[in-house]
Amino acid sequence: MTTTTRPAAGSAADLMLGDDAVALGALHAGISNAYAYPGTPSTEIFARLIREAAAGSAVIAHWCTNEKSAFEGAIGASLAGRRALVTMKHVGLNVAMDPFVNAALVGLGGGIVLAVADDPGMHSSQNEQDSRCLADFARVPCFEPATAQEAYDLTREAFVVSERLQVPVLVRLVTRLCHERSMVRTAPPEPPKPLHKAGPRQDWVLLPANARRLWGELLALQDEMRLANEASAHNRRTDGAGRRGVLTTGIGRRYFGEVLPEMTARPPHLHIGTFPLPKDLVRAFAADLDSMLVLEDGYPYVERQLPGLVPSRCKILGRESGALPAAGELNVVNVRAAFGLPALQLHESVLLNVPARPPRLCDGCVHRDSYAAMQQVIADLGIGAITGDIGCYTLGALPPYEAIDSCVCMGASIGMAKGASDAGLRPAVAVIGDSTFLHSGIPPLIDAIGHDTDMTVLILDNETTAMTGGQPTALPTSRLMPVVLGLGVDPAHVHLFSAHPRKVQELAALIKQEIAHAGLSVIVVQRECVQAARQRKKHES
Amino acid sequence: MRADVVLAGVGGQGVLTIARLLAEAAANDGFHVVQGELHGMSQRGGAVQAHFRLSDQPIESPQVPRGRADLLVGFEPLETLRNIAWLAPGGRIVTAIRPIENMPGYPPIEQVLAELRRFPEAILIDAHATALAAGSQRAENFVIAGAAFSLLPLTPGKLRAIVRKRAERWTEREGEAAIKALAAGRAAIGGAEPVHG
Ligand code: SF4
């Protein structure tokens, strides 16, 4: 169950993030292309690839407008016979679901590996959805590394499997692994695949007649996928004493390993690192057990597959049974409790409670001006619906501003403002960042244009994707206005406002003026993010 | 030989940088190392926490379990207190004392420091003043790093070497201030024995 390694003499080993390990695994598998939309905790995968590209790697690594576009780029690369990596956070896969599911049907040429970073515990996300379920939904293999070393190894292996089965392979990561530094030993890189167009056409054109045949082929592959996992070295059984077994997946193994020295005897253990679930392995493992505790981070994905696989006498324990909490991350504390180990004595502060230190907008942040203006607008006009979106500016929901009513998913502010206005909740104001607007705000804006909906859209343009660390947006500021105008918003109600703390009154007046207009208005509030400006100046000097 | 360390502070203080440098120093010293952190929302002036484990044996959990930290390294006193549950019985605390009051309801600082002094093994350092004396108030995190490092079972000089290498990318003044701050942090500890789990 060894997790970390010291550098063995003479081998190429480095201290790196799990995210770095995925990047290097893909690079060493000979990828030609990589596409991504930033999202914590996946962002550093791509940051590493971009650094490698700048240092002379031949890989084409492009930030994309959204995850769907990113995934489609990878399908195109595969059509060209090249290997491609796509990275995103878990909710990004909801956006990329269409190409992801359908890519499983076409006759891939170069391998496609999709690295998805789940965020159990919601450290920086709006939900804790489990991407293993989505790989299952698409009927493709899912690899779940437990360590940064496995992240490297499994990413490389995923390309081989993707090409053998001609389906994308999902590498499922979790926050703790993405952002964990440990020693990773790399292996010599493979050269990129030659340009070679994949065919034939009837394997790529998903007309119903073709799609029915390809769907049949994908279903027929399911058993092959499972059989490969029955024999995989990533799915290991370790014998132990007693009849209470432990099944771990991914990082769950590490928490088991942590508490193991405190147990009187080592229980029988089965670790699963690759899906679809190797059912024969599970069946054989469970044959003599009275109970099986499932340690998996995320949903009770394996736990739910166990009834019918394990003998009826074998009690299934996990996140669904209540042996572990259904929500949040696994950790040593809840895993100890699941094994019935006594809780550790914890120090506490006798100051009754330590007050929270919530994240806040930086001093000098442009969003402060926008929200100060919105507060005046709210004071004067009352609140209808102020729909927010995803980015640093989501913090406008917290004190001292409390100036947005919602934050649901990327781009939702505009569609929701339209719906709220249609329903009669006015004034309806949508607040969205420039990167989020490009990601998925344009289609709902077109809907609002089509009906000249009585609403006002504030696009907060800080010239960067700030919250994830300042990735460039798909279009620079200078091209944002032509996009808005080109979509067909009435130019009389489109404004570019260059923000300044001294111009808060003026901005409030402009917003009120456009709210008074009984139709669609767009105000782009522009000033560079102070963090991005700092980075840029550092770069320039 | 092993040591479990939790580092805590406020976004922007350089907590993650120090956690990383300590991990590099330990790896360089031949230890197994796992170092974890949380990025994202927490960077905007919110609470930041990093974990760092070193051992001569393979390490399992990516995080230090609550109640198991041999050393709690605080870059801000209230954050030190927030993370007190991580501290093992008999674990050591090294903490800066300057409050960062970017939040509502910050308790009186005397109360926070009194609370920290209840722990007999707590070492409170005026890292701000020490950094100023070393030539740069921005090197506060290196004062704390120097203090924390000298409590770890690592070869003296390892961290300095890592910082020197890193400093090649900085201005000469920044690099010098960091090295001086490390030494000042070490001096602030005196001859305290290293921690070990
Ligand atoms: S990172 Fe930029 S956009 Fe985000 S809060 Fe700070 S200044 Fe504002």
Side-chain angles (χ1 to χ4, degrees):
Chain A
M1 199 150 49
T2 299
T3 289
T4 50
T5 46
R6 284 190 264 210
S11 75
D14 257 319
L15 198 58
M16 65 177 81
L17 289 174
D19 274 350
D20 286 308
V22 172
L24 287 187
L27 213 55
H28 295 172
I31 54 165
S32 307
N33 304 42
Y35 303 103
Y37 185 78
T40 313
S42 72
T43 312
E44 289 84 357
I45 303 174
F46 220 69
R48 178 65 184 251
L49 279 177
I50 285 177
R51 284 206 303 279
E52 296 288 335
S57 254
V59 64
I60 291 173
H62 291 170
W63 287 119
C64 295
T65 308
N66 66 28
E67 294 85 355
K68 179 176 187 290
S69 163
F71 201 94
E72 288 157 353
I75 305 176
S78 175
L79 176 67
R82 307 275 209 183
R83 289 183 167 179
L85 176 74
V86 192
T87 73
M88 57 190 64
K89 70 183 292 173
H90 59 340
V91 285
L93 182 50
N94 299 336
V95 179
M97 227 23 213
D98 205 355
F100 172 58
V101 172
N102 292 310
L105 295 175
V106 300
L108 295 189
I112 297 180
V113 172
L114 168 65
V116 185
D118 288 358
D119 191 16
M122 297 182 254
H123 297 288
S124 46
S125 309
Q126 67 270 50
N127 74 27
E128 48 180 32
Q129 65 184 61
D130 187 330
S131 298
R132 296 177 304 172
C133 304
L134 299 185
D136 194 340
F137 184 79
R139 301 291 197 134
V140 301
C142 176
F143 291 178
E144 191 185 4
T147 64
Q149 181 68 55
E150 286 183 16
Y152 176 84
D153 296 339
L154 281 168
T155 301
R156 286 194 74 155
E157 203 174 314
F159 280 99
V160 178
V161 172
S162 171
E163 275 162 20
R164 182 163 56 78
L165 301 172
Q166 294 188 298
V167 295
V169 174
L170 192 152
V171 174
R172 188 248 185 173
L173 309 162
V174 293
T175 302
R176 296 293 176 177
L177 179 55
C178 291
H179 287 171
E180 167 193 49
R181 255 183 210 95
S182 61
M183 209 51 92
V184 174
R185 194 175 301 128
T186 57
E190 288 172 59
K193 297 272 166 183
L195 191 63
H196 175 80
K197 188 171 173 185
R201 185 173 292 146
Q202 53 270 32
D203 286 358
W204 280 85
V205 179
L206 294 178
L207 281 167
N210 291 336
R212 276 192 287 269
R213 174 178 52 82
L214 291 164
W215 175 235
E217 287 174 19
L218 179 61
L219 292 176
L221 267 182
Q222 297 301 307
D223 223 38
E224 190 179 333
M225 289 180 199
R226 182 183 59 81
L227 286 173
N229 292 343
E230 303 282 3
S232 165
H234 300 289
N235 304 322
R236 291 185 304 271
R237 182 173 164 181
T238 315
D239 290 333
R243 297 163 71 91
R244 300 160 101 174
V246 179
L247 188 153
T248 59
T249 80
I251 206 163
R253 189 183 79 215
R254 315 253 315 260
Y255 301 116
F256 173 51
E258 184 75 24
V259 303
L260 192 53
E262 293 182 62
M263 299 199 220
T264 43
R266 168 188 275 275
H269 173 212
L270 176 64
H271 178 73
I272 305 289
T274 65
F275 300 97
L277 189 65
K279 292 186 175 167
D280 291 344
L281 211 54
V282 175
R283 226 180 254 122
F285 174 64
D288 298 322
L289 296 180
D290 292 336
S291 72
M292 193 192 298
L293 175 65
V294 186
L295 301 179
E296 52 188 331
D297 219 355
Y299 286 8
Y301 171 66
V302 170
E303 187 182 351
R304 284 183 169 182
Q305 297 181 61
L306 294 180
L309 277 185
V310 307
S312 54
R313 137 191 113 253
C314 177
K315 208 166 162 208
I316 300 164
L317 303 168
R319 310 193 76 142
E320 185 136 283
S321 80
L324 284 154
E329 293 179 286
L330 290 182
N331 58 45
V332 176
V333 171
N334 56 35
V335 169
R336 283 178 67 92
F339 279 108
L341 292 166
L344 295 176
Q345 202 67 41
L346 300 184
H347 289 295
E348 47 187 74
S349 164
V350 291
L351 262 179
L352 281 178
N353 56 6
V354 176
R357 190 189 299 268
R360 53 197 283 282
L361 295 169
C362 303
D363 295 326
C365 174
V366 56
H367 303 325
R368 288 185 175 272
D369 299 0
S370 301
Y371 284 129
M374 281 307 295
Q375 279 183 309
Q376 292 188 15
V377 174
I378 294 166
D380 290 356
L381 301 182
I383 300 184
I386 306 172
T387 55
D389 225 298
I390 296 183
C392 288
Y393 52 93
T394 312
L395 297 175
L398 305 180
Y401 299 111
E402 298 179 295
I404 54 175
D405 296 331
S406 69
C407 163
V408 177
C409 66
M410 293 287 283
S413 59
I414 298 182
M416 283 178 65
K418 176 173 186 298
S421 173
D422 288 347
L425 197 54
R426 302 199 197 109
V429 179
V431 180
I432 186 168
D434 52 336
S435 183
T436 309
F437 173 68
L438 294 171
H439 177 284
S440 44
I442 292 176
L445 184 61
I446 295 173
D447 290 336
I449 293 167
H451 298 277
D452 197 20
T453 308
D454 183 2
M455 61 189 262
T456 301
V457 178
L458 288 185
I459 301 179
L460 307 185
D461 177 13
N462 59 3
E463 305 181 36
T464 187
T465 313
M467 195 172 69
T468 50
Q471 292 73 30
T473 43
L475 290 180
T477 290
S478 58
R479 284 163 67 186
L480 198 56
M481 283 297 281
V483 166
V484 172
L485 289 167
L487 292 174
V489 187
D490 178 356
H493 297 285
V494 178
H495 304 271
L496 178 62
F497 188 91
S498 171
H500 191 281
R502 280 200 300 269
K503 288 176 18 186
V504 167
Q505 296 281 357
E506 201 182 312
L507 178 55
L510 178 63
I511 298 171
K512 280 192 277 188
Q513 169 197 318
E514 287 308 328
I515 284 176
H517 165 60
L520 176 65
S521 317
V522 176
I523 302 170
V524 179
V525 184
Q526 191 267 323
R527 188 169 81 232
E528 190 178 14
C529 155
V530 292
Q531 301 293 352
R534 199 169 291 156
Q535 278 179 24
R536 183 172 51 77
K537 279 176 197 144
K538 213 169 168 181
H539 214 75
E540 284 165 4
S541 66
Chain B
M1 180 81 80
R2 64 176 183 85
D4 283 341
V5 184
V6 169
L7 303 96
V10 177
Q13 280 196 301
V15 178
L16 305 183
T17 306
I18 297 303
R20 177 179 184 168
L21 295 175
L22 287 173
E24 282 176 14
N28 204 269
D29 220 358
F31 282 97
H32 293 272
V33 168
V34 164
Q35 184 250 309
E37 61 209 28
L38 291 172
H39 315 200
M41 299 289 290
S42 52
Q43 279 179 313
R44 306 278 170 258
V48 172
Q49 190 201 50
H51 293 228
F52 160 50
R53 315 187 77 188
L54 68 87
S55 174
D56 53 11
Q57 300 297 315
I59 300 164
E60 292 294 341
S61 166
Q63 301 124 268
V64 175
R66 270 174 194 260
R68 282 288 162 83
D70 304 302
L71 178 61
L72 172 59
V73 183
F75 293 72
E76 200 279 346
L78 190 66
E79 293 312 311
T80 312
L81 208 50
R82 186 188 310 285
N83 288 278
I84 209 79
W86 258 270
L87 198 65
R92 230 53 96 72
I93 299 173
V94 172
T95 181
I97 58 170
R98 184 173 66 96
I100 298 182
E101 300 182 36
N102 64 349
M103 50 180 276
Y106 198 105
I109 182 64
E110 302 75 41
Q111 209 179 334
V112 176
L113 297 181
E115 187 73 6
L116 289 170
R117 288 200 181 94
R118 286 199 309 124
F119 295 86
E121 299 271 22
I123 303 175
L124 278 60
I125 299 179
D126 189 345
H128 184 68
T130 311
L132 271 180
S136 163
Q137 59 167 334
R138 283 181 52 202
E140 203 172 329
N141 56 341
F142 284 97
V143 172
I144 297 297
F149 178 81
S150 48
L151 290 175
L152 294 172
L154 296 172
T155 312
K158 279 280 176 201
L159 181 61
R160 189 169 53 231
I162 296 283
V163 172
R164 263 197 211 293
K165 186 137 177 289
R166 182 56 86 86
E168 286 165 11
R169 293 185 239 158
W170 306 339
T171 66
E172 199 172 316
R173 237 189 98 219
E174 282 172 333
E176 254 173 45
I179 297 289
K180 272 199 195 157
L182 283 182
R186 190 171 59 239
I189 289 292
E193 281 292 300
V195 300
H196 55 83

